[in-house]
């Protein structure tokens, strides 16, 4: 049946091509839309061919997200730890359908224990093949997981400039009770690893060469993505799917500086800084991931809060930066509590630092030589994604206009590669 449909479509497109006398169709008619489509966007090969996995954490193989292991069979339902009466259970597992298309999807291969934690801990970027945006300019995809869209998301990028054009998260993620009470009917609000169908209007970029990046910069329990059925070519606007919302960060251009970062010492409170979440507060000339009365010593009371915070844009002129960090040495601190330097526009991470020489609440002064990026417009992204005991981070004295390493400062180690 499928084969028949395909033959009919081929015949149809060939006939249309002949009727319209489009020279491009004179070769193999089935390739008429190939330039508009992704290679293996539906994972039906059972492998990750067509996609390139990029390291973002020290090139560590064991920490690499997006590996072939994640390509799973759609018939293997996702396991979720609730019983039919919506009670959290241990030992027995509730199976939820992935809502995938075809035989394979990118899923969650481990469901519990240390293997599952290790899976979520991995970070990485998965880059698609390049395509030209055609047809109606709509893209559709099925996306699951990604409990924190600040760290796990799908980017649409311009293949020529690398500029991030759109960013989509799984905003339907919702750990509501999966089944309605005493019922076998799935709660329509519940979305964990199961896939939600989204459609995205990219028509402003028609005829541009683009590529996609699934990004995972999180190491927490729900910080991983599942996906399937990525279609970049639709002749007409798709009739179903949730309208995807662009969550690309809006940078503070009003306080953009040519050299010295605006309010890098937090003397003006949060001016020039934008926060997603509630963990960070300015406190006496520092930024601290503490969400209550500002008691810097009571680290455990505030460990559960998470945040992503972005600075205003600055142009790196002199090559060197410096900053001071305190705390940040909790469990997985190198993955959850860090300072990232990103390029405005592309939002590409050029460096990431954690508190390698942590000394409790005492500030350690660091410097970094970013001179290979001189002239670029950059910003800081500071992350507290830790929820274990003592998962807090404090920052102060960010300087971006240094011509050399300040005396007494420790060389910060870049772990973003
Ligand atoms: Ca599939
Ligand atoms: Ca992850």
């Amino acid at each position: 049946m499928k084969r028949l449909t395909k033959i009919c479509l081929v015949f149809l497109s060939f006939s249309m091509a002949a009727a319209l006398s489009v020279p491009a169709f004179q070769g193999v008619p089935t390739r008429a839309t190939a330039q508009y489509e992704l290679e293996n966007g539906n994972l039906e090969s059972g492998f990750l061919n067509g996609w390139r996995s990029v390291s973002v954490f020290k090139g560590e193989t064991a920490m690499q997200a997006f590996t072939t292991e994640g390509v799973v069979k759609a018939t293997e339902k996702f396991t979720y730890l609730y019983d039919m009466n919506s009670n959290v259970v241990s030992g027995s597992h509730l199976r939820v359908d992935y809502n995938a298309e075809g035989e394979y999807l990118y899923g969650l291969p481990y469901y519990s224990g240390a293997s599952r934690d290790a899976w979520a801990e991995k970070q990485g970027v998965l880059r698609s093949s390049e395509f030209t945006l055609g047809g109606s300019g709509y893209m559709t995809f099925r996306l699951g997981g990604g409990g924190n869209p600040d760290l796990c998301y799908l980017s649409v990028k311009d293949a020529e400039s690398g500029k991030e054009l759109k960013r989509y998260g799984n905003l339907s993620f919702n750990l509501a009770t999966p089944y309605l009470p005493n019922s076998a009917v799935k709660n329509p609000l519940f979305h964990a690893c199961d896939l939600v169908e989204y459609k995205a209007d990219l028509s402003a970029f028609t005829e541009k060469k683009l590529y996609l990046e699934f990004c995972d910069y999180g190491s927490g329990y729900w910080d991983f993505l599942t996906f399937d059925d990525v279609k970049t070519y639709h002749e007409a606007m798709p009739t179903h799917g949730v309208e995807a919302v662009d969550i690309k960060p809006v940078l503070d251009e009003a306080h953009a500086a040519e050299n010295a970062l605006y309010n890098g010492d937090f003397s003006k409170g949060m001016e020039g800084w934008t926060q997603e979440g509630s963990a960070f507060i300015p406190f006496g000339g520092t930024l601290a991931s503490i969400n209550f009365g500002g008691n810097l010593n009571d680290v455990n009371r505030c460990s559960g809060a998470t945040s992503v915070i972005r600075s205003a844009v600055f142009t790196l002129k002199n090559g060197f930066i410096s900053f001071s960090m305190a705390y940040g040495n909790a469990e997985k601190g190198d993955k959850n509590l860090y300072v990232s330097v990103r390029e405005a526009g592309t939002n590409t991470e050029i460096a990431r630092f954690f508190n390698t020489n942590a000394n409790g609440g005492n500030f350690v002064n660091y410097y970094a030589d970013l001179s290979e990026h001189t002239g670029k417009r950059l910003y800081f992204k500071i992350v507290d994604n830790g929820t274990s005991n003592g998962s807090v981070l404090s920052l102060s004295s960010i300087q971006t206009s240094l011509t050399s390493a300040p005396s007494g400062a420790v060389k910060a180690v870049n772990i973003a590669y």
Side-chain angles (χ1 to χ4, degrees):
M1 183 63 193
K2 263 191 174 169
R3 174 164 267 242
L4 265 178
T5 314
K6 208 177 223 175
I7 291 167
C8 290
L9 282 174
V10 167
F11 180 70
L12 186 66
S13 54
F14 186 75
S15 316
M16 281 172 70
L20 296 168
S21 304
V22 179
F25 286 174
Q26 279 171 3
V28 184
T30 49
R31 295 220 173 143
T33 61
Q35 60 171 316
Y36 302 121
E37 289 164 352
L38 288 187
E39 184 187 345
N40 197 24
N42 55 14
L43 286 323
E44 289 307 291
S45 70
F47 297 95
L48 278 179
N49 56 295
W51 298 88
R52 189 156 66 87
S53 207
V54 181
S55 166
V56 301
F57 191 86
K58 297 192 280 186
E60 286 183 13
T61 309
M63 265 294 288
Q64 182 65 51
F66 304 115
T67 57
T68 307
E69 234 179 328
V71 183
V72 299
K73 288 217 167 195
T75 47
E76 294 293 317
K77 293 183 176 186
F78 157 60
T79 301
Y80 192 73
L81 299 173
Y82 275 81
D83 70 10
M84 293 298 278
N85 297 314
S86 307
N87 302 308
V88 180
V89 293
S90 56
S92 67
H93 305 294
L94 178 71
R95 318 284 318 260
V96 181
D97 192 87
Y98 269 118
N99 186 32
E101 173 68 33
E103 198 178 352
Y104 293 97
L105 74 146
Y106 194 81
L108 174 68
Y110 303 103
Y111 299 120
S112 61
S115 302
R116 189 207 182 284
D117 290 343
W119 187 258
E121 186 176 346
K122 292 166 191 274
Q123 300 182 6
V125 167
L126 188 68
R127 196 169 293 162
S128 78
S129 58
E130 292 183 359
F131 62 96
T132 303
L133 187 70
S136 61
Y138 268 81
M139 169 177 92
T140 54
F141 54 95
R142 298 185 189 210
L143 187 63
N148 183 350
D150 287 323
L151 299 174
C152 293
Y153 49 84
L154 170 60
S155 279
V156 180
K157 292 197 153 181
D158 184 318
E160 265 163 41
S161 65
K163 192 168 181 249
E164 186 176 21
L165 304 173
K166 297 278 181 185
R167 182 184 294 191
Y168 305 112
N170 183 18
L171 302 190
S172 304
F173 185 87
N174 188 337
L175 298 181
T177 178
Y179 282 79
L180 299 173
N182 302 308
S183 156
V185 179
K186 189 168 172 286
N187 181 356
L189 289 177
F190 170 83
H191 288 296
C193 294
D194 51 309
L195 309 177
V196 178
E197 284 186 73
Y198 290 96
K199 63 177 168 191
D201 180 2
L202 303 175
S203 55
F205 312 111
T206 301
E207 293 309 319
K208 269 191 184 298
K209 201 165 227 193
L210 309 175
Y211 63 92
L212 308 179
E213 280 185 347
F214 284 99
C215 298
D216 176 349
Y217 288 97
S219 290
Y221 194 76
W222 288 106
D223 295 336
F224 59 87
L225 293 171
T226 56
F227 69 92
D228 193 17
D229 200 22
V230 185
K231 286 192 187 123
T232 54
Y233 182 80
H234 290 274
E235 189 58 48
M237 189 183 108
T239 50
H240 52 91
V242 178
E243 195 82 44
V245 176
D246 181 18
I247 57 165
K248 184 163 52 76
V250 178
L251 300 175
D252 186 342
E253 292 285 355
H255 292 109
E258 271 304 293
N259 199 347
L261 173 69
Y262 180 78
N263 194 24
D265 61 2
F266 305 99
S267 58
K268 296 182 180 69
M270 291 292 270
E271 266 188 54
W273 293 86
T274 312
Q275 175 159 220
E276 312 286 341
S278 59
F280 287 109
I281 57 161
F283 180 81
T286 68
L287 177 75
S289 61
I290 286 177
N291 63 348
F292 67 100
N295 183 352
L296 282 166
N297 295 315
D298 192 354
V299 292
N300 292 332
R301 281 184 59 193
C302 45
S303 302
T306 62
S307 264
V308 167
I309 183 167
R310 292 180 183 87
S311 76
V313 178
F314 67 97
T315 305
L316 187 71
K317 293 278 188 184
N318 299 341
F320 282 76
I321 65 164
S322 71
F323 53 91
S324 302
M325 292 175 111
Y327 301 112
N329 58 337
E331 187 195 358
K332 299 179 191 169
D334 53 348
K335 287 137 194 163
N336 289 329
L337 303 160
Y338 57 83
V339 177
S340 171
V341 183
R342 295 198 169 216
E343 185 186 22
T346 64
N347 294 320
T348 301
E349 184 173 48
I350 65 163
R352 191 184 331 143
F353 309 111
F354 72 100
N355 198 354
T356 48
N357 292 35
N359 182 18
N362 301 310
F363 279 94
V364 180
N365 301 322
Y366 293 96
Y367 78 92
D369 177 1
L370 301 180
S371 52
E372 64 177 299
H373 301 288
T374 302
K376 285 185 183 171
R377 302 181 77 246
L378 306 174
Y379 65 95
F380 288 90
K381 175 179 177 178
I382 300 168
V383 173
D384 173 356
N385 191 43
T387 51
S388 63
N389 259 7
S391 285
V392 292
L393 178 66
S394 291
L395 260 294
S396 76
S397 317
I398 301 176
Q399 294 189 57
T400 59
S401 56
L402 304 173
T403 51
S404 62
S407 64
V410 177
K411 186 177 183 185
V413 179
N414 176 19
I415 58 168
Y417 61 89

